């Protein structure tokens, strides 16, 4: 089979549905129909939940839960946009990761509010002897290490990971937009200087996933009966799958297994089109269960009540009762003695008066 000459393609500035149809034929029509069947239910369920949000949670949780409910509909909107306009796929890819990072940050705030704040969470972990799980994935090599105690400072450092990742993704999007505005074409070298912002996302992404896994272990111990703790797990899995797709397509293009489609779809356009088709399916199949979890009602606070040692309390009550009883007996004895002393004084006085009268 003859391979098309990708360098000879006359590519338009914007690749839309017409160019995709000219290159793929009615295969693109099938993609659009299946996309609509996936996107409409997610948008419909998300909109209904936002309208009913006031009945699902107290006002303290309204803002964070609204952001979390908006994540699947926004992901579907962005992937639909990138499928209809494959030429913007490069920027939509980063926007998808920004949306997931915002969802992760809002998840941290939601669960901390459910626990009554950082101080309440730290004191609860101290009472239950819950230690910091330093051997969480992907750094399972730390499993033999001693687990330190959970303090407010350590908890704050763990929660900082997703915020740093969000800031990096915003910087990557800004750099790509600057390249577009100044009409700069990157060299395409994976280790090039003009790609250093993408290279930085790998170590920072691993660090953020590590801190999130540590936090998820702690929250699973503290909120075992609350299904809202699963929202973070869904978002982390989705972020990892989206990131793995990037590495997978780097392998496909580098090995020559993926090529362009004449006359309008370059290799990069094909890559972003396929990426977003897969991401749209993932956003649907993971988004519907995610929204079902968001639809469950919740109240504050959510931390279980501390365990009370009834035997110890009973002993304290008995001690206080005995002391109080002894004090009452002593007071009664002193009062009775005082009355007897007064009676003796009165009797002595009366006897003296009778003696004087007789004389």
């Amino acid at each position: 089979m003859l391979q098309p000459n990708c360098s000879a393609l006359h590519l338009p500035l914007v690749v839309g549905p017409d160019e995709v149809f000219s290159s793929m034929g009615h295969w693109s029509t099938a993609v659009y129909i299946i996309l609509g069947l996936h996107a409409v239910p997610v948008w419909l369920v998300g909109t209904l939940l936002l309208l009913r949000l006031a009945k699902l949670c107290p006002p303290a949780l309204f803002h964070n839960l609204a952001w979390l409910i908006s994540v699947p509909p926004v992901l579907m909107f962005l992937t639909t946009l990138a499928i209809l306009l494959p030429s913007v796929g490069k920027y939509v890819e980063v926007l998808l990761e920004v949306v997931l990072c915002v969802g992760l940050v809002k998840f941290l705030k939601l669960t901390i509010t459910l626990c009554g704040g950082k101080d309440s969470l730290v004191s609860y972990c101290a009472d239950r002897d819950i230690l910091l799980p330093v051997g969480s994935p992907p750094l399972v090599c730390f499993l033999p290490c001693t687990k330190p105690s959970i303090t407010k400072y350590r908890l704050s450092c763990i929660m900082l990971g997703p915020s740093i990742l969000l800031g990096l993704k915003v910087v990557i999007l800004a750099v790509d937009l600057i390249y577009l505005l100044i009409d700069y074409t990157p060299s395409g070298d994976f280790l090039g200087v003009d790609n250093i912002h993408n290279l930085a996302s790998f170590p920072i992404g691993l660090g953020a996933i590590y801190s999130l896994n540590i936090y998820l272990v702690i929250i699973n111990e503290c909120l075992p009966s609350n299904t809202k703790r699963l929202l973070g797990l869904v978002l982390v899995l989705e972020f990892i799958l989206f990131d793995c797709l990037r590495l997978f397509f780097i392998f496909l293009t580098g090995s020559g297994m993926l090529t362009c489609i004449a006359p309008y779809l370059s290799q990069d356009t094909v890559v972003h089109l396929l990426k977003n088709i897969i991401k749209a399916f993932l956003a649907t199949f993971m988004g519907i269960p995610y929204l079902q979890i968001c639809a469950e009602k919740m109240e504050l606070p959510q931390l279980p009540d501390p365990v009370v040692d009834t035997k110890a309390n009973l002993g304290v009550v008995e001690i206080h009762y005995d002391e109080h009883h002894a004090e009452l007996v002593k007071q009664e004895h002193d009062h009775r003695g005082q009355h007897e002393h007064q009676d003796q004084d009165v009797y002595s006085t009366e006897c003296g008066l009778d003696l004087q009268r007789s004389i």
Side-chain angles (χ1 to χ4, degrees):
M1 182 178 178
L2 295 176
Q3 296 289 337
N5 186 5
C6 297
S7 59
L9 297 178
H10 298 285
L11 303 176
L13 183 61
V14 177
V15 177
D18 291 337
E19 289 77 14
V20 174
F21 181 80
S22 299
S23 300
M24 296 177 57
H26 285 291
W27 289 108
S28 62
T29 306
V31 169
Y32 296 150
I33 293 173
I34 297 173
L35 175 64
L37 295 175
H38 285 74
V40 171
V42 175
W43 291 336
L44 184 61
V45 174
T47 303
L48 292 176
L49 284 181
L50 288 174
L51 294 175
R52 296 179 56 246
L53 186 57
K55 300 179 181 179
L56 298 177
C57 65
L61 304 175
F62 188 94
H63 178 75
N64 293 322
L65 188 59
W67 276 94
L68 289 170
I69 292 175
S70 302
V71 169
V74 172
L75 292 179
M76 285 304 303
F77 170 76
L78 292 174
T79 53
T80 301
L81 177 65
I83 292 172
L84 295 175
L85 299 173
S87 54
V88 300
K90 177 181 179 180
Y91 311 102
V92 169
E93 182 177 20
V94 184
L95 273 174
L96 291 172
E97 294 177 342
V98 169
V99 171
L100 288 173
C101 290
V102 170
L104 290 170
V105 172
K106 296 300 178 181
F107 166 76
L108 297 181
K109 294 182 178 180
L110 177 72
T111 49
I112 284 294
T113 306
L114 285 174
C115 294
K118 292 181 181 179
D119 293 329
S120 299
L121 181 58
V122 171
S123 61
Y124 178 84
C125 292
D127 294 339
R128 298 297 181 92
D129 293 329
I130 301 174
L131 301 177
L132 200 67
V134 294
S136 300
L139 301 183
V140 292
C141 55
F142 292 153
L143 277 174
C145 298
T146 304
K147 295 180 180 180
S149 60
I150 297 175
T151 62
K152 188 175 180 180
Y153 174 74
R154 289 168 180 166
L155 183 63
S156 299
C157 291
I158 291 170
M159 296 179 65
L160 195 61
S163 299
I164 296 175
L165 183 61
L166 173 60
L168 176 65
K169 295 300 179 182
V170 172
V171 169
I172 292 174
L173 180 62
V175 171
D176 289 339
L177 291 175
I178 290 173
Y179 285 172
L180 177 65
L181 292 175
I182 65 177
D183 198 21
Y184 174 76
T185 303
S187 62
D189 186 7
F190 186 71
L191 299 177
V193 177
D194 53 4
N195 196 45
I196 193 171
H197 56 296
N198 287 317
L199 291 175
S201 65
F202 289 101
I204 294 179
L206 285 176
I209 292 172
Y210 174 65
S211 63
L212 280 166
N213 285 331
I214 291 177
Y215 184 81
L216 288 176
V217 173
I218 297 173
I219 288 298
N220 286 337
E221 295 285 345
C222 298
L223 300 175
S225 59
N226 193 324
T227 55
K228 294 294 186 294
R229 61 190 170 84
L230 301 176
L231 295 177
L233 180 62
V234 175
L235 291 174
V236 170
L237 288 176
E238 204 162 2
F239 182 85
I240 293 173
L241 289 174
F242 281 16
D243 220 30
C244 289
L245 279 177
R246 176 181 297 174
L247 297 176
F248 178 65
F249 277 94
I250 288 175
F251 166 74
L252 290 180
T253 54
S255 60
M257 298 173 65
L258 202 62
T259 184
C260 59
I261 303 176
Y264 298 116
L265 300 183
S266 65
Q267 187 185 56
D268 288 340
T269 305
V270 172
V271 166
H272 290 299
L273 179 62
L274 293 177
K275 275 184 187 178
N276 287 289
I277 290 173
I278 298 173
K279 289 177 181 179
F281 293 153
L282 289 174
T284 302
F285 292 123
M286 301 182 74
I288 295 298
Y290 174 94
L291 291 174
Q292 288 178 345
I293 297 174
C294 291
E296 297 178 3
K297 291 184 179 181
M298 54 184 174
E299 300 292 339
L300 288 173
Q302 290 290 330
L303 280 181
D305 294 331
V307 178
V308 179
D309 191 352
T310 55
K311 293 183 179 179
N313 288 341
L314 183 59
V316 172
V317 170
E318 289 176 351
I319 292 172
H320 283 292
Y321 174 77
D322 292 340
E323 292 177 353
H324 183 64
H325 182 68
E327 185 177 357
L328 288 177
V329 171
K330 182 180 179 182
Q331 290 178 358
E332 185 179 355
H333 178 73
D334 294 341
H335 185 67
R336 187 177 299 173
Q338 184 178 3
H339 277 287
E340 291 177 353
H341 183 69
Q342 290 177 355
D343 292 340
Q344 290 178 358
D345 292 341
V346 171
Y347 177 75
S348 300
T349 304
E350 290 178 352
C351 291
L353 290 175
D354 291 340
L355 181 60
Q356 291 178 0
R357 286 172 185 171
S358 61
I359 294 173

